[in-house]
Amino acid sequence: MAESDGGDPLAEALTEVLGGARARGGLFHQVVLAPPWGVRVQDGNPLSVAATLHGEGWVTHAQDPEPVHMKPGDVVVLRGPEPYVLADDPATEPGLVIHPGDCCTTPEGVDMCEELVLGVRTWGHSLAGPTVLLSGNYQLHADLSARLLDALPPVLVLRGGEWDSGLLPLVAAEVVKDAPGQQLVLDRLLDLLLISVLRAWFARPEARAPAWYRAQSDPVVGIALRMLHEQPAHAWTVAALAAKAGVSRAGLARRFTELVGEPPMTYLARRRIDLAARLLREPGSTLDAVARRVGYADGFALSAAFKRLRGVSPSEHRAGREHRAVAERSGGAEDRAVAEHGAGLVVPGAAPA
């Protein structure tokens, strides 16, 4: 296979990693709010997207305490599983708390789901509220590649004029529909919304692009990365990659680690497991067949590598248990205390109109 097809390696890398976004049962909500309002979201989801349709708001992430002001057309991508707060003002104390699951409670643990229902996927105290937010959430880590999650800051914000925010009215119109196959439509719209935002963000000169993305343009490491992307199931060695790149084994290993942040074989292992995670969710896929497609001798070898890198077995991954396992590993005493209050859903609160 040719080392390059002449395309833009940065564009190819971005296409490949964004192609890993594949929502399954993602949550979408429209929330109508009237000040003062505030909600603490601690659902453990790996990634959330929040957009302002009308009015204004603020978002504060646990890993980035600087509040972000949201205006109409703005969109914010929030990396989990750490909690964040949405509010009309940074000083407003949250009146609602979102827990793992599909409901919401007061800070004291009182269930508020039924009280806040205003219609199909629409929440709040009154439809007359001046602020309308759109919230989309990926529930499973397997629906996003590890490299994509690693590439994102805790809070990523794009203003309405920095991306094609004309997509928001389409998403908002579909969110409130109750039609056959609507979940599939919403899943694809969540993917489209995320990809549109991230594509615009990566194109910004000030964007903090991840090391693996910048390394694509390196004349040595870029060749090795393309080999690993194009043929992940090949029995690669550092020596074989070095020969393709025209450098010594030691030279490639050192340069690759410096630019990408990890050795070539570690990078390859993570890429293979990312691919396996997607393939395992395809109907009719078997462990042995997936193992051969991603470069492992058999299902036993894949299972061991999957457990080591993902923390769950392939069967647990198929059953959707990976989300809970990652949230538990990431959570501290605060998250355990929250879990004692029960389950809940992304439903920002609002004062009665």
Side-chain angles (χ1 to χ4, degrees):
M1 178 179 293
E3 293 180 356
S4 173
D5 60 4
D8 181 350
L10 293 179
E12 293 169 3
L14 182 57
T15 298
E16 190 274 333
V17 75
L18 291 181
R22 192 75 175 176
R24 294 172 178 83
L27 296 177
F28 248 132
H29 301 288
Q30 176 180 264
V31 190
V32 186
L33 307 160
W37 58 269
V39 60
R40 178 179 172 84
V41 182
Q42 48 196 32
D43 52 16
N45 289 334
L47 198 68
S48 299
V49 181
T52 312
L53 299 179
H54 303 288
E56 300 181 8
W58 293 81
V59 59
T60 306
H61 192 281
Q63 288 192 333
D64 189 356
E66 186 67 29
V68 173
H69 191 200
M70 298 176 62
K71 296 181 179 180
D74 294 351
V75 63
V76 177
V77 177
L78 300 138
R79 194 186 66 212
E82 292 78 14
Y84 58 92
V85 172
L86 293 165
D88 68 309
D89 187 275
T92 300
E93 289 294 327
L96 293 172
V97 179
I98 310 310
H99 308 280
D102 200 18
C103 195
C104 111
T105 73
T106 67
E108 295 74 29
V110 178
D111 191 293
M112 295 291 290
C113 289
E114 293 186 7
E115 181 176 334
L116 294 172
V117 174
L118 294 176
V120 177
R121 303 183 193 88
T122 302
W123 305 84
H125 283 285
S126 169
L127 290 173
T131 300
V132 180
L133 300 182
L134 193 64
S135 172
N137 302 276
Y138 285 84
Q139 297 190 83
L140 301 173
H141 281 74
D143 295 347
L144 298 155
S145 75
R147 288 198 297 127
L148 175 57
L149 290 173
D150 290 346
L152 302 179
V155 180
L156 181 160
V157 59
L158 276 184
R159 302 303 176 186
E162 296 177 328
W163 73 293
D164 183 11
S165 57
L167 179 61
L168 288 180
L170 171 62
V171 177
E174 290 292 337
V175 164
V176 297
K177 289 183 180 179
D178 187 11
Q182 192 64 13
Q183 182 60 57
L184 180 60
V185 172
L186 294 177
D187 281 345
R188 298 292 72 80
L189 283 176
L190 179 56
D191 293 337
L192 179 59
L193 180 60
L194 177 66
I195 290 170
S196 297
V197 170
L198 294 185
R199 182 175 60 180
W201 179 73
F202 270 94
R204 298 169 62 183
E206 66 271 26
R208 293 174 294 175
W212 58 261
Y213 181 76
R214 298 192 302 270
Q216 300 286 336
S217 59
D218 183 82
V220 172
V221 177
I223 292 175
L225 284 170
R226 287 195 291 278
M227 294 298 101
L228 298 181
H229 290 174
E230 294 169 0
Q231 303 178 63
H234 184 75
W236 289 111
T237 63
V238 177
L241 289 172
K244 289 285 186 181
V247 296
S248 69
R249 178 181 181 279
L252 175 65
R254 180 178 60 255
R255 191 173 183 86
F256 193 104
T257 303
E258 288 176 353
L259 294 183
V260 179
E262 59 187 355
M265 294 301 99
T266 301
Y267 182 92
L268 175 60
R270 290 211 302 151
R271 168 147 173 76
R272 285 174 169 174
I273 296 305
D274 277 348
L275 290 174
R278 297 205 298 271
L279 293 172
L280 284 167
R281 289 189 175 273
E282 292 183 355
S285 63
T286 67
L287 189 60
D288 282 337
V290 171
R292 290 190 294 272
R293 289 181 64 179
V294 300
Y296 288 93
D298 51 40
F300 292 106
L302 172 59
S303 184
F306 202 101
K307 178 74 173 181
R308 183 177 68 254
L309 293 179
R310 291 263 177 160
V312 296
S313 68
S315 60
E316 289 173 322
H317 164 77
R318 284 184 194 266
R321 298 174 192 166
E322 184 171 14
H323 167 63
R324 294 190 293 275
V326 172
E328 289 171 2
R329 290 199 304 274
S330 301
E334 177 183 1
D335 293 319
R336 290 191 294 273
V338 167
E340 295 174 0
H341 289 294
L345 162 78
V346 167
V347 185

